Amino acid sequence: METNLDRSPPITAADRGSFTKAVLAVEKLTKEKIWDCRMCGQCILHSTGMSCPMRCPKNLRNGPCGGVLQNGNCEVLPDRPCVWVQAWEGSRRLPVWRRHMEHLMAPVDWRLQGTSSWINFWTRRDKHMPAGWKAAGERIGGHR
Amino acid sequence: MTDANGAIGRSRLERLLRAGQFAVTAELQTTDSADPGSVFELAELLRGKVDAVNCTDNSAAHPHISAVAAARLLIDRDVEPIVQFTCRDRNRLGLQADILGAAALGVRNLCCMTGDDVTAGDHPEAKPIYDLDSLHLLRMVRILRDQGTYLSGRKLTEPPDVFVGAVENPFAPPLDFRPLRMGKKIEAGAEFIQLQLVFNLEVMRVFADRAGELGLLERAFVLPSVYVPRSTRALRYMRDAVPGIDVPETMIERMERTPRDRQEEEGLLIAHEIIQAVRAMPGMRGVHLISIGGDDLVVRLIEEAGLLPRPKLAVEVASA
């Protein structure tokens, strides 16, 4: 199994060009304003009921932790609603992508933090997965 | 993996569950000692009374003796450990190193979870890690075990031979999503699930029914947790200070009506009733028992709830 060749394209000079900077500025401005986006560079908003999972203090990508308070607020920031409670409710209101809440999301590629998820989508850099994860495919689970 | 009598499993716990036995696990009290005797003492109390013992990973975000080290000390005293791994204190490199290390030291059960946030503990200034979430961790253990590689794809010389567990909380919002989340954990790689402490049997029933409808109870061994409250104060503490716990008002009132000197007995009775209730729910394959401030109550509960003697594997009977 190849590991080195499977790396996503490195951040290059093109990422510092004026076009990239302009796209980044527009994305940051709009998504931070509307969704309190944290610019992880690998956006899965549509899969999480339009509630940005990176706002979760534990950076969870696959649903709420077990510490959600009985009133639906976050255990770490008790005066704020749990972003995953919002994600679940938001996903129920979406006409599409509802089942995405049940999909297993890949680990975060922390190198992309602060880059434009729009550009990473076009360059497919956001499709990168560790080779072992990719080899595991869709299904593993259960005891039989 | 297979013993002489055909019971299959990587650990003794897995073999018992596969043999259809109702399993009993407990939680090791945390120790803050560099003296191995502190763990040996607890091992003495639980040996033969439970099938496996959870070694917590800096529980409630307080540092304690390393879970892997405590597990090895348990193995030295013939108690089978379940090592808990949280995502709070280690990134994917540290986690994989410790999974291999644990397996090399003889650990055969892992239980993967997110972990309480550092702000819940005595080092709130610490940098929380959360490089992976609990589902990533579960899948990573299965990649190590089944594919024989690290997450990166790099080959292992010998993969860790472990029974893989997870946790789920049926009592924390969003309640409708909880069974689906357990399903997601099973997809990610969980073979057994230890549920959060059960106080609210109504909510537990709804969760168990839904999990059954989704076919999850045939795909993983599910063990609800039961707590032995010592007092009204202990129950209130659970409700108010431990996030994600649902203690019905009626239970607190029941304890309040009990005279102070009889509350421990009442707590045992409550725990006993919860065990009977979850045992009667289809698809529940065991219980995980927790007490705070001493395992003596857990041991009494095991005795009084008729959970003794613990089953032996056929091979153990033959060699006895």
Side-chain angles (χ1 to χ4, degrees):
Chain A
M1 191 189 300
E2 201 52 70
T3 62
N4 286 342
L5 292 180
D6 196 53
R7 289 195 182 142
S8 58
I11 310 279
T12 63
D15 290 287
R16 291 183 286 273
S18 52
F19 173 72
T20 306
K21 278 185 180 163
V23 173
L24 187 63
V26 174
E27 180 175 349
K28 215 165 143 54
L29 201 70
T30 51
K31 283 172 67 181
E32 281 184 351
K33 189 97 183 156
I34 305 174
W35 292 294
D36 192 14
C37 160
R38 300 298 161 94
M39 299 300 288
C40 70
Q42 46 219 296
C43 190
I44 55 168
L45 256 185
H46 68 285
S47 297
T48 58
M50 308 310 285
S51 168
C52 172
M54 302 316 276
R55 294 182 301 138
C56 165
K58 300 182 182 179
N59 294 146
L60 303 182
R61 300 282 276 194
N62 281 293
C65 72
V68 183
L69 305 179
Q70 289 298 308
N71 64 3
N73 281 5
C74 171
E75 67 162 332
V76 184
L77 305 165
D79 56 343
R80 293 200 206 162
C82 163
V83 303
W84 280 102
V85 171
Q86 293 179 320
W88 171 250
E89 289 166 358
S91 74
R92 298 307 89 188
R93 289 192 295 268
L94 288 180
V96 282
W97 306 317
R98 306 173 98 219
R99 295 294 299 269
H100 282 213
M101 282 291 286
E102 294 166 51
H103 295 177
L104 184 59
M105 298 292 160
V108 173
D109 182 345
W110 295 99
R111 293 172 299 180
L112 299 183
Q113 180 67 47
T115 63
S116 163
S117 74
W118 295 345
I119 288 176
N120 296 335
F121 178 77
W122 296 329
T123 60
R124 300 185 61 77
R125 192 154 58 187
D126 66 349
K127 302 292 180 298
H128 166 76
M129 285 178 212
W133 185 276
K134 197 181 279 176
E138 283 301 300
R139 283 167 179 247
I140 281 190
H143 66 63
R144 43 192 83 143
Chain B
M1 197 170 140
T2 307
D3 69 31
N5 300 281
I8 297 169
R10 294 176 164 82
S11 66
R12 192 172 174 280
L13 175 66
E14 183 177 1
R15 287 192 285 272
L16 286 172
L17 286 166
R18 285 186 186 278
Q21 299 286 353
F22 189 79
V24 178
T25 60
E27 203 137 300
L28 190 73
Q29 299 294 320
T30 51
T31 61
D32 298 303
S33 169
D35 174 10
S38 64
V39 176
F40 292 154
E41 255 173 57
L42 297 165
E44 292 307 320
L45 200 60
L46 293 169
R47 186 173 42 215
K49 308 279 198 234
V50 295
D51 302 315
V53 173
N54 282 47
C55 299
T56 53
D57 179 8
N58 293 343
S59 61
H62 289 65
H64 299 291
I65 188 172
S66 139
V68 174
R72 179 62 229 187
L73 296 172
L74 288 184
I75 294 171
D76 287 345
R77 287 294 190 268
D78 281 325
V79 174
E80 180 164 290
I82 299 170
V83 175
Q84 296 188 352
F85 274 80
T86 71
C87 302
R88 180 193 53 232
D89 306 329
R90 284 164 289 183
N91 69 6
R92 57 193 85 181
L93 280 75
L95 287 166
Q96 291 181 102
D98 284 350
I99 292 162
L100 276 189
L105 290 172
V107 169
R108 292 294 173 264
N109 304 298
L110 299 186
C111 188
C112 306
M113 58 197 75
T114 309
D116 298 308
D117 192 72
V118 292
T119 52
D122 62 349
H123 294 65
E125 313 86 349
K127 183 177 196 300
I129 304 299
Y130 302 119
D131 173 28
L132 301 181
D133 69 25
S134 58
L135 286 96
H136 301 144
L137 174 57
L138 280 166
R139 176 56 63 96
M140 190 169 75
V141 177
R142 291 294 294 263
I143 290 167
L144 287 162
R145 186 188 87 182
D146 299 347
Q147 293 171 200
T149 73
Y150 290 103
L151 183 61
S152 68
R154 185 159 57 88
K155 267 208 150 343
L156 299 170
T157 315
E158 182 70 35
D161 198 21
V162 286
F163 183 39
V164 184
V167 298
E168 186 50 65
N169 184 354
F171 311 100
L175 297 186
D176 294 344
F177 184 57
R178 292 293 167 179
L180 294 172
R181 181 163 162 79
M182 184 165 87
K184 227 171 139 167
K185 289 191 169 183
I186 295 169
E187 291 297 341
E191 298 165 302
F192 72 96
I193 309 270
Q194 291 178 313
L195 298 179
Q196 182 54 284
L197 294 169
V198 181
F199 295 102
N200 191 328
L201 285 168
E202 292 313 305
V203 175
M204 179 62 213
R205 256 183 217 106
V206 172
F207 176 87
D209 287 349
R210 185 74 186 115
E213 284 164 19
L214 292 167
L216 303 179
L217 304 179
E218 280 89 56
R219 296 182 58 214
F221 302 104
V222 178
L223 292 79
S225 297
V226 179
Y227 172 71
V228 197
R230 284 176 189 273
S231 60
T232 319
R233 205 166 59 87
L235 266 185
R236 283 213 197 92
Y237 176 82
M238 276 288 157
R239 181 191 62 185
D240 302 331
V242 185
I245 302 239
D246 174 10
V247 185
E249 205 47 47
T250 48
M251 189 177 288
I252 290 179
E253 284 162 11
R254 175 174 165 184
M255 270 300 229
E256 277 170 348
R257 281 197 306 272
T258 309
R260 191 77 187 81
D261 59 328
R262 286 197 37 245
Q263 285 187 353
E264 201 168 287
E265 299 300 312
E266 194 67 15
L268 271 168
L269 200 60
I270 289 173
H272 188 167
E273 287 168 13
I274 294 172
I275 291 176
Q276 303 307 324
V278 296
R279 203 172 178 171
M281 294 179 195
M284 297 298 123
R285 306 294 298 272
V287 278
H288 178 60
L289 307 177
I290 299 179
S291 170
I292 292 174
D295 288 321
D296 52 318
L297 265 192
V298 163
V299 172
R300 265 193 70 194
L301 175 65
I302 294 165
E303 285 161 359
E304 289 174 22
L307 296 169
L308 289 179
R310 298 308 310 145
K312 286 201 180 328
L313 292 165
V315 65
E316 295 165 342
V317 177
S319 66

